[in-house]
Amino acid sequence: MCIRDSMRSMECFAETEGLVCDIERETESLEFFRYYRYLRTIGSPNGEDVYKVTDQFSPSVEARLARLERISSKPPCHLPQHKLVRILRQRIATLGCTDNLRFSLESQQILENTDKGARLLLSRTDGNKQEEEIEARVVFSCDGFRSRIRQQLGIGMLGRGGLQSFLNVHFRSRRLVEVLSASKEHAMLHFIYNSSIVGVLVNHSMADAELVLQVPLSPPLSDVQHYDVEKCRDLIRS
């Protein structure tokens, strides 16, 4: 996550009393995430496989945070999305706003759209094929680059289409985290370039040994369907 994007998000969360504290309690030290490393392999004994290291918080975390305080009242943080979602759900529950909160649903079709509101056809995303209709005065479309709602409303996009495609492999590896710790190669992003793989290893959580390997794709020559579990494991081992 971009540092300034993170700070702006924290400013929004601050509007709900106590939410920023809940997030900061689960945020690991910025020392673990201050670097970007460009390298051939991870865990080389003497660092001979490292091409370059970029420090986001040069010359120190304290000095960088002092400069960032001039543009925001909230510090940056690094937190995996699923942890943030859990915190937000817990906070919503404490506010007693869960009666009309629904998950695992997506909009399939806008059945009616008038000045008074909209009627939508929803379907489940958890394997249940059940569909239902709802009515709403306002619909906020936050369904990403391939927004079905945007397409149904005939709203086009400016500029080029998809700029890049990636395969994101989410996994946990205590052994890999131990290698990173032993070699002191802490970093938010490891850009890996060798004869077996070109990819980015994203360090989501040192405490939970949670990582993501991001591999560029070139559809239709290479697409998500070309990668099964075993091939993803081979990429991680590379």
Side-chain angles (χ1 to χ4, degrees):
M1 177 183 292
C2 171
I3 293 174
R4 294 194 179 186
D5 285 348
S6 169
M7 293 163 62
R8 297 297 178 241
S9 298
M10 293 292 276
E11 290 171 5
C12 295
F13 294 146
E15 297 296 318
T16 300
E17 184 177 355
L19 182 55
V20 169
C21 293
D22 293 343
I23 293 172
E24 290 180 337
R25 271 195 293 270
E26 298 211 24
T27 300
E28 296 175 43
S29 171
L30 290 176
E31 286 289 345
F32 290 137
F33 307 105
R34 62 186 290 184
Y35 300 107
Y36 290 169
R37 294 183 179 272
Y38 302 80
L39 63 168
R40 188 168 69 88
T41 59
I42 288 177
S44 55
N46 300 312
E48 63 270 15
D49 288 338
V50 177
Y51 303 132
K52 182 181 178 181
V53 179
T54 301
D55 186 355
Q56 299 184 83
F57 291 88
S58 176
S60 68
V61 171
E62 294 75 16
R64 179 63 168 158
L65 290 179
R67 291 199 300 269
L68 292 175
E69 285 179 357
R70 302 172 188 170
I71 61 174
S72 176
S73 60
K74 300 301 174 186
C77 71
H78 180 76
L79 191 69
Q81 180 177 331
H82 69 88
K83 290 187 176 183
L84 176 59
V85 170
R86 172 175 51 78
I87 292 172
L88 294 177
R89 286 190 179 188
Q90 291 172 345
R91 176 51 60 124
I92 289 172
T94 61
L95 296 174
C97 302
T98 59
D99 291 345
N100 296 315
L101 188 63
R102 311 282 296 280
F103 295 95
S104 301
L105 288 169
E106 66 178 0
S107 173
Q108 290 293 333
Q109 184 179 356
I110 300 176
L111 301 174
E112 186 178 5
N113 182 27
T114 69
D115 293 339
K116 296 181 179 180
R119 185 164 57 93
L120 291 84
L121 177 66
L122 305 181
S123 65
R124 304 284 302 181
T125 61
D126 55 6
N128 188 331
K129 296 183 179 180
Q130 182 180 357
E131 295 182 338
E132 62 178 284
E133 296 182 14
I134 66 166
E135 294 183 357
R137 287 182 298 173
V138 179
V139 176
F140 293 93
S141 176
C142 305
D143 49 349
F145 168 71
R146 296 180 178 85
S147 171
R148 185 178 285 121
I149 290 178
R150 177 185 58 77
Q151 294 172 5
Q152 290 173 8
L153 292 175
I155 301 174
M157 297 183 65
L158 300 177
R160 297 172 58 186
L163 299 179
Q164 290 180 299
S165 296
F166 293 95
L167 170 71
N168 290 310
V169 183
H170 294 252
F171 67 101
R172 296 177 189 270
S173 175
R174 180 61 59 187
R175 179 183 176 186
L176 182 52
V177 167
E178 289 174 352
V179 170
L180 293 173
S181 298
S183 59
K184 296 183 179 180
E185 291 187 358
H186 302 302
M188 178 185 293
L189 301 176
H190 297 79
F191 296 87
I192 305 170
Y193 305 90
N194 61 49
S195 59
S196 299
I197 186 174
V198 173
V200 181
L201 182 68
V202 184
N203 185 357
H204 267 341
S205 173
M206 295 290 288
D208 297 331
E210 184 177 353
L211 306 111
V212 176
L213 180 62
Q214 191 175 69
V215 180
L217 300 176
S218 301
L221 299 178
S222 64
D223 212 336
V224 175
Q225 290 77 12
H226 300 152
Y227 293 84
D228 56 16
V229 173
E230 192 55 41
K231 191 168 184 178
C232 290
R233 287 174 177 163
D234 290 340
L235 288 174
I236 294 170
R237 297 187 186 106
S238 299

